[in-house]
Amino acid sequence: QVRLVESGGGFVQAGGSLTLACEFSGSIFRGTEMGWYRQGADYQRKLVARITPGDNTYYADSVKARFTISRDNAENMLYLQMNNLKPEDTGVYDCNAFPPVRSYWGAGTLVTVSR
């Protein structure tokens, strides 16, 4: 059974950086397109970035040139490097497959960016 555990969130001032990590338990990680999602004050989860098994990446316009998604297939890990953080980046960040699988949602990790 697949289980995803996110970590790395925290409180940071605008302009700061954080690196999120997602541990994927399950043997299918290597062949799964993965994404990072953010749930903001509107409680809607929105795709922030995604990465294919072959390391092709996609970013939402709001995070382009600031965030970098990466994966380590040998370790079943997904990462999100976030630089030059802005208050509007605040939210709970979850990793999941792309498109998301309902049963994969974990607890997420909270990122709070102050002005």
Side-chain angles (χ1 to χ4, degrees), residues 8 12 21 35 57 74 105 113:
V12 64
T57 57
W105 292 116
V113 185

Side-chain angles (χ1 to χ4, degrees), residues 2-77:
V2 171
R3 182 167 173 259
L4 301 174
V5 179
E6 301 91 349
S7 62
F11 184 92
V12 64
Q13 290 186 328
S17 299
L18 285 172
T19 300
L20 306 183
C22 169
E23 182 177 358
F24 185 110
S25 64
S27 61
I28 62 172
F29 177 78
R30 187 181 300 269
T32 302
E33 184 165 350
M34 295 295 297
W36 281 100
Y37 302 80
R38 178 175 63 228
Q39 183 176 23
D42 61 359
Y43 297 101
Q44 298 294 315
R45 280 195 183 100
K46 298 177 182 176
L47 181 68
V48 172
R50 59 183 169 91
I51 184 167
T52 69
D55 289 339
N56 293 313
T57 57
Y58 159 86
Y59 297 93
D61 287 343
S62 61
V63 306
K64 279 181 182 175
R66 298 189 298 121
F67 289 11
T68 302
I69 188 171
S70 62
R71 64 192 296 159
D72 183 339
N73 289 335
E75 299 294 331
N76 279 15
M77 293 294 295

